[in-house]
Amino acid sequence: MSGPLRVVDTSVWIEWLIGSPLGKKLKEVFPDKPNCVVPTIVQLELAKWLTRELGEERADQVIAYTMSCLVVPLDTKIALRAVDMHREYKLATADAIVYATARDRSAELLTCDAHFENLPEALYYAKASTP
């Protein structure tokens, strides 16, 4: 494996998939498949967004891609760690699960979600503000 393990948050997947200016910048730090950690909650969020915005066929293609990465299911250990993340950092449930997965795997979290901006081991890339 080359490079660090990185959990890719749903926000990054979306920016990357739509080819936004931020998505193009994120392409430089997006991990290769062996280093890309995908929590199952991210698969759920991605499939939901992709089906709504780009159609079921595109959703199937992207989920198939994620399945070639390191998929981490929500288990009891991660769920209980997510409780701690929720309490300590005031994260919503899905965000707490994503961050707990990153911490469980000693991985960096790659995100565009401001909820993670100052958290340890979070690589935060701000979305451009719209006028």
Side-chain angles (χ1 to χ4, degrees):
M1 288 193 290
S2 62
L5 279 180
R6 288 198 172 133
V7 169
V8 179
D9 187 34
T10 307
S11 60
V12 171
W13 283 100
I14 290 170
E15 294 295 324
W16 185 61
L17 289 166
I18 65 173
S20 71
L22 178 57
K24 290 177 178 137
K25 183 178 179 181
L26 289 164
K27 188 176 183 178
E28 301 300 316
V29 293
F30 203 95
D32 294 333
K33 289 178 187 177
N35 296 322
C36 185
V37 180
V38 184
T40 51
I41 190 85
V42 169
Q43 287 180 314
L44 179 151
E45 291 176 330
L46 261 180
K48 197 168 108 176
W49 183 86
L50 284 160
T51 300
R52 183 183 68 239
E53 300 294 327
L54 302 176
E56 200 167 314
E57 185 177 326
R58 186 66 175 134
D60 289 345
Q61 292 168 350
V62 174
I63 296 305
Y65 179 92
T66 68
M67 291 173 65
S68 65
C69 300
L70 175 59
V71 176
V72 179
L74 176 59
D75 61 14
T76 302
K77 180 182 172 192
I78 293 172
L80 294 176
R81 194 165 195 175
V83 171
D84 295 337
M85 301 293 109
H86 165 74
R87 191 177 321 123
E88 184 174 353
Y89 300 111
K90 309 295 186 242
L91 297 172
T93 300
D95 289 341
I97 292 167
V98 169
Y99 192 56
T101 302
R103 301 299 356 114
D104 184 68
R105 295 298 168 126
S106 299
E108 297 171 335
L109 174 63
L110 183 58
T111 185
C112 304
D113 186 335
H115 294 104
F116 298 113
E117 185 174 359
N118 295 307
L119 300 189
E121 301 302 319
L123 302 173
Y124 171 69
Y125 288 79
K127 293 181 184 182
S129 50
T130 52

